[in-house]
Amino acid sequence: MPRKDNQHKMSATEITPLLGNSTSVKEVDLQNGLSAKTGEAEFSFSSVDRRRKFILVSMAFVNFCAVCSFSILAPFFPIEAGRKGASQTIVGMIFGVFELVIVISSPIFGNYISKIGCKFMYVSGIMVCGVCAILFGTLDMSPDGTIFIVMCFLCRSVEALGCSAFVTALWAILAYEFPDNVTTVMGMLETFSGLGMMVGPPIGGALYELGGYGLPFFILGSLVIVCGLLTAYAMPAIGEGSKLYEGSFFTLLKSPLVLVTFVNISVGSIALGFMEPTFAGHLSQFHLKTWLLGLMFLIAPAVYAITAPLWGYICDKKGYIRLMIAGGNIVAVFSWLIIGPAPFLPFVPDKLYINGIALVLMGLGLGCALIPTFKALLIGANSLGMENNLDTYGKCSGFFNSSFAFGAFLGPTIGGFLVDQLGFPWASCGIALLLGIGALLMLIYMCLVRKLPSLPENPVSMDTKTLNP
């Protein structure tokens, strides 16, 4: 529970833009946890001071290198693991344990970010990721069978802990350093994450062909370690002397907006993860060459990466947070209905170009829906009396990472099961249904928040009573 002297009121004019109005967002001095001055939330890289430019550029580079190191094993590891006695089911579990560990650990890191130290958590997480990547590159020398499998699980689990730590700290730092443009800079970093996810597999495949199993991990792992060392030396201290919020991570669950946002983050991540084990089989009917098949897999991530900064800018500039989440999911619903295509849409031809259109819509819709979610979590936290400080940002960041990883863990599992039982057309309808449920919940919430003053996120409620979770 927050201390009485830390509780504060928010006026309707302050909170309404954040809830989806077209009015510009108020600038907030998040380092002091107090409202500061009125003005539009404009972002210009040239106007950012040197200190924050370094933070943003270094995080972009770290994001790119780290995601590359996570994704390089996709083209060759299943083959190598099979040679070492691991079944395809075990290989899938080795991939899945990474997300499962993040689901569990991210809330813990977020809850204790102020006590651990934001910069320490960020740098140490990067270093753990780099070291584990190098260690993973030595597992081809492990004895076959059980020992190899156990070492793979251990290495991926520890690497996931490092990833969870540094990503949780990363989003918290961004919110702390760029309070008025958090979704704009988040969109910019998502571009580099998307690029890393796109180029990681081909880089991994090329290095594997060049130098064998270990080379991709040795090079990318070493690059990640160098990033960590440079960050440790050059990054300024973050959030020293920040106030602590006397509440746990689970306090966030008292906000209806946080709960609805959790559903939308998870279903969006499920939709992305669904593609990994299922889409290649669906495209096999078109008898594509390998390079063209790979290109089809790149369409949705490329559109997502390119448009992410735009969605972030619109979110910060206009404040259409809830509307963007609902609208983006509705667009994504249409993409999943035509990619099958849905059996109840006989007028949609099952052609390659239709799949291409669906992938473009998928990247647009999921980008629009996912980018504003972190800001929605911040609004939910504010409505519960949690001040805008590093401790709150850590809790929201941990919640966001855990929600996304939860969907990323379920997506491939659900995808493989649905395709085996129903076939790809009906399975894609199932994903469309999940996305539709997310959009519907947000639309219902938008209606209720206007009708029920008792909701914590209602501007009237937040203006007329002291907030207390």
Side-chain angles (χ1 to χ4, degrees), residues 426-456:
W426 279 114
S428 63
C429 291
I431 301 300
L433 176 62
L434 292 177
L435 291 166
I437 291 172
L440 180 62
L441 287 175
M442 184 58 76
L443 291 173
I444 292 173
Y445 173 82
M446 291 173 64
C447 295
L448 290 178
V449 80
R450 296 177 182 273
K451 301 293 185 181
L452 300 178
S454 60
L455 280 177

Side-chain angles (χ1 to χ4, degrees), residues 180-225:
D180 303 316
N181 305 284
V182 59
T183 47
T184 300
V185 294
M186 183 178 179
M188 294 170 63
L189 286 193
E190 281 295 282
T191 295
F192 288 90
S193 296
L195 291 173
M197 188 63 67
M198 289 164 56
V199 305
I203 288 177
L207 292 176
Y208 175 76
E209 292 291 334
L210 181 65
Y213 175 84
L215 187 62
F217 299 103
F218 299 153
I219 291 180
L220 270 299
S222 299
L223 189 58
V224 171
I225 290 175

Side-chain angles (χ1 to χ4, degrees), residues 132-297:
C132 286
I134 292 175
L135 291 176
F136 204 87
T138 66
L139 294 185
D140 61 325
M141 296 181 281
S142 168
D144 295 354
T146 302
I147 295 179
F148 171 79
I149 294 170
V150 170
M151 294 303 296
C152 285
F153 274 110
L154 287 175
C155 198
R156 286 289 282 179
S157 296
V158 176
E159 186 178 19
L161 286 174
C163 175
S164 177
F166 106 76
V167 174
T168 298
L170 182 147
W171 295 131
I173 291 171
L174 284 184
Y176 186 83
E177 294 291 337
F178 300 91
D180 303 316
N181 305 284
V182 59
T183 47
T184 300
V185 294
M186 183 178 179
M188 294 170 63
L189 286 193
E190 281 295 282
T191 295
F192 288 90
S193 296
L195 291 173
M197 188 63 67
M198 289 164 56
V199 305
I203 288 177
L207 292 176
Y208 175 76
E209 292 291 334
L210 181 65
Y213 175 84
L215 187 62
F217 299 103
F218 299 153
I219 291 180
L220 270 299
S222 299
L223 189 58
V224 171
I225 290 175
V226 170
C227 290
L229 293 173
L230 291 175
T231 302
Y233 173 75
M235 176 176 276
I238 305 293
E240 290 185 346
S242 294
K243 296 180 181 179
L244 295 180
Y245 172 76
E246 297 179 0
S248 72
F249 161 84
F250 295 101
T251 303
L252 289 171
L253 299 178
K254 296 181 180 180
S255 165
L257 179 58
V258 168
L259 294 175
V260 174
T261 303
F262 163 75
V263 174
N264 280 276
I265 295 172
S266 298
V267 298
S269 183
I270 287 173
L272 291 171
F274 173 88
M275 300 290 286
E276 295 176 11
T278 63
F279 194 48
H282 172 65
L283 291 178
S284 62
Q285 61 179 312
F286 301 113
H287 307 291
L288 302 177
K289 295 182 178 179
T290 304
W291 69 269
L292 189 54
L293 181 65
L295 184 62
M296 293 295 291
F297 270 91

Side-chain angles (χ1 to χ4, degrees), residues 154 338 421:
L154 287 175
I338 66 174
Q421 298 298 317

Side-chain angles (χ1 to χ4, degrees), residues 75-147:
F76 60 87
F77 177 73
I79 299 173
E80 290 287 340
R83 294 172 181 168
K84 304 289 284 186
S87 67
Q88 288 304 304
T89 300
I90 294 296
V91 171
M93 293 173 65
I94 292 172
F95 277 88
V97 74
F98 189 87
E99 303 295 346
L100 184 60
V101 171
I102 294 177
V103 170
I104 298 170
S105 62
S106 288
I108 299 173
F109 284 125
N111 205 53
Y112 295 102
I113 189 169
S114 296
K115 296 180 180 179
I116 296 174
C118 196
K119 180 180 176 180
F120 176 78
M121 183 185 293
Y122 179 68
V123 173
S124 60
I126 295 171
M127 299 296 288
V128 169
C129 288
V131 171
C132 286
I134 292 175
L135 291 176
F136 204 87
T138 66
L139 294 185
D140 61 325
M141 296 181 281
S142 168
D144 295 354
T146 302
I147 295 179

